[in-house]
Amino acid sequence: MPGLLEIHNLSKSFDTTKVINDFSMEVTEGTLCCLVGPNGAGKTTTMDLITGRIKPTSGKIVFANEDITAKHEHIIARSGIGRKFQVPAVLRDMTVRQNLEVAYSRQTNPFWNLFKFRVAGLKQKLDEIATLAGLTGRLNDRAGILSHGETQWLEIGMVLMQEPRLLLMDEPIAGMTEGEIEKTVRIFRDLRKTATLVVVEHDMGFVREIADEVVVMHMGSLLAQGTIQQIEGNARVREVYLGEQEAA
Ligand SMILES: Nc1ncnc2c1ncn2[C@@H]1O[C@H](COP(=O)(O)OP(=O)(O)O)[C@@H](O)[C@H]1O
Ligand SMILES: [Mg+2]
């Protein structure tokens, strides 16, 4: 079975610097893949390339058997790739419910039959997503009073309202408390049942809790791909990445 997302020999140069260098990876539908690697490895740039925010110098990106390499950013979003950015974009003066409704009205995916929540109405959908994002009981609160962690979960909920088939997240637990991270682990384990996820993360404790598969990037290239056990046992990975993390 081909992957839901396939990246083939991707390269990206900014001026004369090759930031992504012949990088390939594959994500199987229904799995959670963690993309890890040292600072500057090219993780965020890879997300930008997948979502069409920037275009590769060479290589190919295939999503759901369709070549999306040359497609416009909003067409890619509409085809079912959602992204949660690092910087929150919630409307602070609106309630959590209103934020989710606004996200829904910006809904970009016309493939209703791919929607996994199987809900009849918006209310039920809102409730399901609030549950998935750990926000039940918060729906009528103003978004501005949420904690940092809750704001992140609201953002995840807002992306889910757009029914992505593939969900990309860049450092979702940055700045969270221990308790918030634990709850995020539970949220991600839940999400994994209904969606395919690519999560950029450098906290290996978190990666160990959530990842089905781990992809390690180094200097714009694929260093290793495998289960967390394979990655942690890989001598090259220990040398260029994990060793440095343990020292820190
Ligand atoms: N627009 C850009 N112009 C020039 N260099 C860039 C640009 N965006 C990213 N880079 C460089 O590409 C490299 C990879 O960056 P990035 O993808 O943000 O890494 P990561 O997310 O893995 O920390 C870095 O060296 C960064 O400075
Ligand atoms: Mg980054």
Side-chain angles (χ1 to χ4, degrees):
M1 202 182 78
L4 177 64
L5 177 73
E6 293 170 37
I7 295 177
H8 299 284
N9 308 101
L10 202 66
S11 292
K12 174 68 184 176
S13 298
F14 292 112
D15 301 319
T16 55
T17 317
K18 207 165 196 178
V19 167
I20 304 296
N21 189 2
D22 199 29
F23 175 69
S24 300
M25 71 177 272
E26 196 173 304
V27 182
T28 306
E29 178 137 45
T31 63
L32 191 158
C33 172
C34 281
L35 185 57
V36 306
N39 259 333
K43 304 179 297 292
T44 299
T45 305
T46 301
M47 298 284 216
D48 288 343
L49 288 164
I50 296 168
T51 56
R53 188 158 178 252
I54 56 174
K55 292 294 162 197
T57 312
S58 61
K60 190 163 89 167
I61 303 173
V62 178
F63 174 64
N65 296 315
E66 202 182 335
D67 187 342
I68 59 166
T69 320
K71 291 201 189 312
H72 195 278
E73 187 172 12
H74 75 264
I75 303 286
I76 294 173
R78 198 180 294 163
S79 76
I81 299 183
R83 179 182 196 175
K84 188 195 125 14
F85 281 93
Q86 258 169 292
V87 186
V90 303
L91 303 161
R92 297 174 54 85
D93 290 330
M94 287 188 167
T95 64
V96 169
R97 180 188 303 279
Q98 286 167 334
N99 269 280
L100 291 172
E101 284 168 356
V102 168
Y104 178 74
S105 68
R106 291 195 197 125
Q107 204 269 131
T108 49
N109 184 358
F111 300 108
W112 288 91
N113 54 332
L114 296 177
F115 187 50
K116 305 246 174 64
F117 297 97
R118 300 187 205 292
V119 292
L122 175 60
K123 161 113 183 45
Q124 196 184 341
K125 175 170 166 164
L126 254 161
D127 289 342
E128 275 192 53
I129 285 176
T131 305
L132 271 173
L135 290 167
T136 29
R138 280 302 218 174
L139 282 171
N140 297 319
D141 291 332
R142 209 170 56 80
I145 67 161
L146 298 179
S147 72
H148 171 73
E150 289 171 323
T151 307
Q152 298 294 306
W153 301 329
L154 174 55
E155 290 249 322
I156 292 169
M158 288 166 74
V159 182
L160 288 176
M161 290 302 280
Q162 300 177 4
E163 306 173 358
R165 195 169 166 191
L166 175 70
L167 180 52
L168 310 177
M169 291 195 253
D170 203 343
E171 304 194 15
I173 61 166
M176 281 191 185
T177 64
E178 281 299 319
E180 288 172 337
I181 293 173
E182 272 171 39
K183 190 166 164 190
T184 306
V185 167
R186 292 199 293 276
I187 290 171
F188 278 36
R189 285 182 177 162
D190 254 7
L191 283 180
R192 186 166 63 168
K193 295 175 194 158
T194 53
T196 305
L197 295 103
V198 177
V199 180
V200 170
E201 192 49 67
H202 53 79
D203 180 328
M204 288 307 283
F206 184 66
V207 169
R208 210 171 291 128
E209 295 289 333
I210 62 166
D212 295 305
E213 179 132 89
V214 181
V215 170
V216 188
M217 279 189 97
H218 179 53
M219 293 169 64
S221 299
L222 178 74
L223 183 68
Q225 176 162 14
T227 62
I228 184 77
Q229 289 79 13
Q230 288 167 336
I231 294 303
E232 288 184 324
N234 181 307
R236 271 289 281 153
V237 175
R238 300 203 70 83
E239 188 185 327
V240 308
Y241 180 52
L242 294 177
E244 169 192 298
Q245 276 221 325
E246 278 156 16

